[in-house]
């Protein structure tokens, strides 16, 4: 049996489909690049048939990624397989990932199919997928709750039909580690051609067992693990990649020196990139990547660690590339030092982007005493590529807000488009509402504010505020993000970030140079609580 465990990362598919973790095309590409830098063996880039957006992101990731294999998910249907095959056509190392439920519960109530019909379908679609791609993974959805004799028949048949990887998911997170291990052992013992395929596990975390179950699978011979960064995924999530690999690394004595291709020093950067892209904070006590994961608060522990780190530390912060958060640069720092630090933090920026970021960094230094790595990352994450014609982009020129507990808030906002400027004044229930309303009046394109989130990037009083918004009009939903030490400024900039994509898309959709007015009014959205 192979001595290497392959990591199949599904952050961009199982992870991305869960609420709060959706990403746009550009964000998915950045995440995929970092997954490749992390050393992930297979990146599941999406579910190509699910939507046009999914299809396009799988195509883009397939073009971009050279080292890792790129997979698209597909139901065991010809049209899904066609879409998956088409989307990964440009990949250096493509894989089609087929799935079909095999438990009686799913067959009877979801698919309304007999066991025999499902078996036939699995075989036919595996053959069809193999005619389109050299690597085909077959997943028996809800494998853990599938009758074991039937599961053995399915596994044997799909391997015979050409599946190169067979995945046995605990789709609903029901298994206990010993049971999951036994399922893998049973399949290895009872399926005669099992050596012709790699056996894989895919565990959900409904009972908090996903990582333990995955490792139990590995102990019993699974050589592919399906996982996500920070365990994001459907419902309670999937098994966390960083926990599985650090389990193998830290307890190599127990796992008999099993090998893997993950560069563990990239873990922290990957988790922080995901957090910064999605706006979801990492829990302080999250294993491996939480801020407290390597912090020793109690005196006894600190004393022990100072005497010998091994007393309370089973792995080093360096081994997971834990990111330092102390001040690294200040207003006297030069462009060269700034560029070098950004590079150390993993941002490969071209000269114009360095210039742009450096000027933002300098203006941040004027407003903020200490600039930390996390501030720099927030600035870099905020650097978006403007879509559409630059002369049609709206930019913030200036704003003044008036607000207090005994008055109606008002905002005067001046925006610039090309060389022209417009000013509008609005009132609202708060200064953010008033400011966004002024933006809406200036651009003359009604939109709905579907989501607004504000959070501090670091802990200190002069922390950068990061605002994320979700706006929609009749053409779709658009996300915007911005950081500033002033939360009203961050709110306006985040709004403009989304507005510029919205208008460029609306202009394309409507074939006009100026946006057409929609029926929706800003009064209907969340700020007014209707
Ligand atoms: O949980 C599951 O069963 C899945 C399959 C599609 C692999 O995500
Ligand atoms: Zn899943």
């Amino acid at each position: 049996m192979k001595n290497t465990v392959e990591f199949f990362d599904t952050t961009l598919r199982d992870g991305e489909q869960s609420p709060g973790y959706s990403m746009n095309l550009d964000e998915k590409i950045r995440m995929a690049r970092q997954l490749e830098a992390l050393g992930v063996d297979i990146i599941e880039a999406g579910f190509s048939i699910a939507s046009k957006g999914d299809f396009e992101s799988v195509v883009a990731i397939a073009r971009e990624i050279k080292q890792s294999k790129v997979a698209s998910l597909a139901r065991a249907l010809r049209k899904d397989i066609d879409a998956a095959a088409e989307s990964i056509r440009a990949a250096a190392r493509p894989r089609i990932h087929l799935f079909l439920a095999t438990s009686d519960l799913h067959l009877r109530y979801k698919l309304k199919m007999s066991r025999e019909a499902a078996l036939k379908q699995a075989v036919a679609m595996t053959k069809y997928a193999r005619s389109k791609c050299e690597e085909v993974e077959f997943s028996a959805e809800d494998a853990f709750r599938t009758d074991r004799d039937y599961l053995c028949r399915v596994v044997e048949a799909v391997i015979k039909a050409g599946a190169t990887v067979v995945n046995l998911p605990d789709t609903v997170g029901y298994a206990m580690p010993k049971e999951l291990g036994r399922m893998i052992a049973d399949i290895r013992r009872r399926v005669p051609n099992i050596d012709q395929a790699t056996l894989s596990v895919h565990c959900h975390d409904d009972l908090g067992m996903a990582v333990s179950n995955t490792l139990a699978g590995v102990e019993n011979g699974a050589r592919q693990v399906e996982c996500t960064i920070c365990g994001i995924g459907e419902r309670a999530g999937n098994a966390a990649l960083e926990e599985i690999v650090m389990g193998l690394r830290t307890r190599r004595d127990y796992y008999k020196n099993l090998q893997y291709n993950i560069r563990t020093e990239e873990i922290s950067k990957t988790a922080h990139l995901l957090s910064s892209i999605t706006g979801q904070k990492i829990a302080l006590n999250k294993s491996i990547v939480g801020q407290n994961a390597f912090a020793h608060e109690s005196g006894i522990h600190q004393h022990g660690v100072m005497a010998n780190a091994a007393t309370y530390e089973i792995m080093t912060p360096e081994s997971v590339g834990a990111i330092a958060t102390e001040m690294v640069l200040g207003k006297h720092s030069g462009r060269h030092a700034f560029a070098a630090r950004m590079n150390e933090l993993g941002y490969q920026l071209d000269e114009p982007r360095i210039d742009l970021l450096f000027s933002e960094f300098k203006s941040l230094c004027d407003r903020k005493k200490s600039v930390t790595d996390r501030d720099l990352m927030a600035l870099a994450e905020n650097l978006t590529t403007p879509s559409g014609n630059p002369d049609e982009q709206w930019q913030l020129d200036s704003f003044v807000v008036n607000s207090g507990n005994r008055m109606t808030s008002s905002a005067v906002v001046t925006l610039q488009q090309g060389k022209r400027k417009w000013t509008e004044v609005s009132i609202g229930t708060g200064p953010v509402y008033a400011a966004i309303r002024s933006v809406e009046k200036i651009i003359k394109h009604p939109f709905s504010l579907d989501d607004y989130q504000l959070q501090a990037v670091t802990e200190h009083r002069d922390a950068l505020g990061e605002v994320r918004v979700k706006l929609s009009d009749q053409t779709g939903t658009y996300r915007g993000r911005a950081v500033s030490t002033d939360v009203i400024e961050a709110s306006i900039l985040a709004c403009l970030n989304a507005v510029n994509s919205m208008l460029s898309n609306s202009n394309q959709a409507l074939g006009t140079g100026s946006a057409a007015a929609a029926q929706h009014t800003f009064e209907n959205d969340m700020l007014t609580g209707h």
Side-chain angles (χ1 to χ4, degrees):
M1 203 200 316
K2 280 197 301 194
N3 194 34
T4 301
V5 177
E6 294 197 308
F7 278 74
F8 175 110
D9 182 278
T10 182
T11 303
L12 295 172
R13 199 277 298 168
D14 218 327
E16 203 263 348
Q17 76 194 32
S18 59
Y21 289 98
S22 66
M23 297 174 223
N24 64 29
L25 176 63
D26 186 51
E27 292 164 342
K28 284 184 189 171
I29 294 173
R30 280 194 291 145
M31 200 62 219
R33 282 196 201 120
Q34 181 54 34
L35 290 172
E36 185 171 45
L38 176 65
V40 158
D41 299 282
I42 306 104
I43 297 173
E44 186 162 51
F47 188 2
S48 301
I49 194 92
S51 70
K52 189 165 166 270
D54 259 63
F55 183 87
E56 281 165 3
S57 33
V58 179
V59 170
I61 292 168
R63 284 201 186 117
E64 179 76 22
I65 299 299
K66 297 287 172 257
Q67 299 303 321
S68 311
K69 295 175 181 173
V70 175
S72 166
L73 186 66
R75 288 168 300 180
L77 297 173
R78 289 176 91 92
K79 62 175 181 179
D80 281 39
I81 295 169
D82 290 341
E86 177 60 24
S87 66
I88 54 174
R89 204 149 47 99
R93 308 174 72 198
R95 176 185 289 187
I96 294 178
H97 178 195
L98 272 190
F99 76 100
L100 183 68
T102 49
S103 67
D104 286 340
L105 203 58
H106 280 236
L107 287 176
R108 186 172 313 140
Y109 295 103
K110 191 179 81 177
L111 299 177
K112 302 189 187 348
M113 232 179 178
S114 67
R115 284 187 185 177
E116 290 316 307
L119 183 61
K120 241 172 105 180
Q121 176 98 348
V123 167
M125 290 304 108
T126 302
K127 284 186 182 157
Y128 184 61
R130 265 309 294 268
S131 73
K132 305 233 159 204
C133 185
E134 273 299 293
E135 270 207 26
V136 171
E137 169 172 341
F138 178 85
S139 280
E141 191 189 9
D142 207 18
F144 181 71
R145 293 191 301 173
T146 298
D147 174 78
R148 198 60 50 85
D149 293 341
Y150 177 61
L151 186 62
C152 289
R153 285 179 60 209
V154 172
V155 173
E156 183 178 353
V158 295
I159 294 175
K160 205 163 154 212
T164 49
V165 180
V166 176
N167 182 39
L168 302 182
D170 178 20
T171 301
V172 290
Y174 184 69
M176 291 293 141
K178 269 191 181 160
E179 295 175 308
L180 196 295
R182 208 178 305 129
M183 171 173 76
I184 299 299
D186 275 354
I187 296 292
R188 286 192 54 225
R189 188 168 42 81
R190 295 178 52 186
V191 174
N193 57 358
I194 195 68
D195 289 341
Q196 293 166 32
T198 300
L199 202 44
S200 166
V201 281
H202 174 118
C203 299
H204 278 271
D205 208 31
D206 300 67
L207 292 173
M209 298 289 164
V211 171
S212 309
N213 285 346
T214 302
L215 289 170
V218 168
E219 235 185 303
N220 284 279
R223 287 295 174 265
Q224 174 180 285
V225 290
E226 302 203 351
C227 46
T228 59
I229 303 302
C230 293
I232 68 168
E234 194 70 18
R235 304 181 311 280
N238 290 57
L241 178 148
E242 65 280 5
E243 296 176 24
I244 304 169
V245 72
M246 289 315 286
L248 295 179
R249 177 177 166 143
T250 309
R251 296 304 312 276
R252 57 174 78 81
D253 56 328
Y254 183 84
Y255 290 105
K256 307 195 173 52
N257 246 338
L258 276 176
Q259 303 296 302
Y260 47 82
N261 297 316
I262 298 293
R263 293 176 201 102
T264 61
E265 299 74 17
E266 292 287 326
I267 285 176
S268 185
K269 195 194 294 175
T270 315
H272 282 90
L273 178 63
L274 176 68
S275 162
S276 127
I277 283 178
T278 59
Q280 304 295 341
K281 285 215 157 184
I282 301 173
L284 291 178
N285 67 334
K286 167 77 188 65
S287 321
I288 320 293
V289 291
Q291 208 178 304
N292 291 353
F294 294 96
H296 301 282
E297 206 59 35
S298 100
I300 296 176
H301 287 205
Q302 285 173 352
H303 179 77
V305 168
M306 272 152 65
N308 180 343
T311 48
Y312 288 100
E313 236 173 50
I314 59 168
M315 50 199 160
T316 64
E318 294 76 31
S319 66
V320 300
I323 291 174
T325 54
E326 72 275 15
M327 184 187 129
V328 286
L329 295 173
K331 66 175 168 190
H332 300 297
S333 307
R335 187 183 176 286
H336 186 72
F338 172 79
R341 187 63 194 161
M342 292 314 290
N343 196 30
E344 277 163 22
L345 289 173
Y347 296 95
Q348 274 107 39
L349 303 165
D350 54 19
E351 294 299 313
R353 278 168 181 253
I354 292 175
D355 287 342
L356 196 65
L357 266 187
F358 186 60
S359 88
E360 286 185 18
F361 160 71
K362 282 288 177 185
S363 75
L364 181 60
C365 291
D366 289 336
R367 301 203 228 173
K368 195 173 184 299
K369 261 202 308 215
S370 57
V371 177
T372 68
D373 282 346
R374 275 188 284 157
D375 291 324
L376 295 180
M377 289 169 81
L379 286 183
E381 294 310 326
N382 209 42
L383 195 64
T384 50
T385 319
S387 47
N389 178 354
D391 285 340
E392 285 180 14
Q393 300 283 309
W394 287 101
Q395 278 167 352
L396 175 63
D397 179 74
S398 61
F399 71 91
V400 177
V401 291
N402 220 342
S403 188
N405 61 343
R406 291 180 189 273
M407 62 188 293
T408 303
S409 300
S410 64
V412 185
V413 175
T414 302
L415 299 183
Q416 188 165 351
Q417 193 186 40
K419 293 199 168 60
R420 298 179 63 196
K421 291 185 182 177
W422 284 263
T423 301
E424 281 287 355
V425 58
S426 302
I427 55 167
T429 46
V432 171
Y433 178 29
I436 295 181
R437 232 180 140 182
S438 292
V439 169
E440 196 192 27
K441 278 192 193 169
I442 294 173
I443 66 165
K444 294 192 174 57
H445 182 96
F447 55 78
S448 151
L449 178 64
D450 299 336
D451 194 20
Y452 175 92
Q453 286 178 38
L454 166 65
Q455 64 183 25
V457 172
T458 49
E459 295 78 20
H460 310 289
R461 283 184 188 203
D462 58 358
L464 275 178
E466 181 182 44
V467 172
R468 288 163 183 266
V469 295
K470 213 195 272 179
L471 310 184
S472 61
D473 69 358
Q474 77 275 33
T475 65
T477 299
Y478 303 86
R479 291 193 292 143
R481 177 176 53 200
V483 288
S484 170
T485 47
D486 182 312
V487 296
I488 309 293
E489 183 176 27
S491 304
I492 300 174
L493 291 173
C495 188
L496 290 178
N497 188 215
V499 154
N500 284 324
S501 322
M502 177 185 282
L503 293 185
S504 129
N505 199 36
S506 304
N507 290 347
Q508 279 170 18
L510 300 169
T512 63
S514 68
Q519 289 309 304
H520 181 90
T521 71
F522 192 52
E523 310 302 328
N524 290 338
D525 64 36
M526 58 166 287
L527 283 177
T528 45
H530 295 291

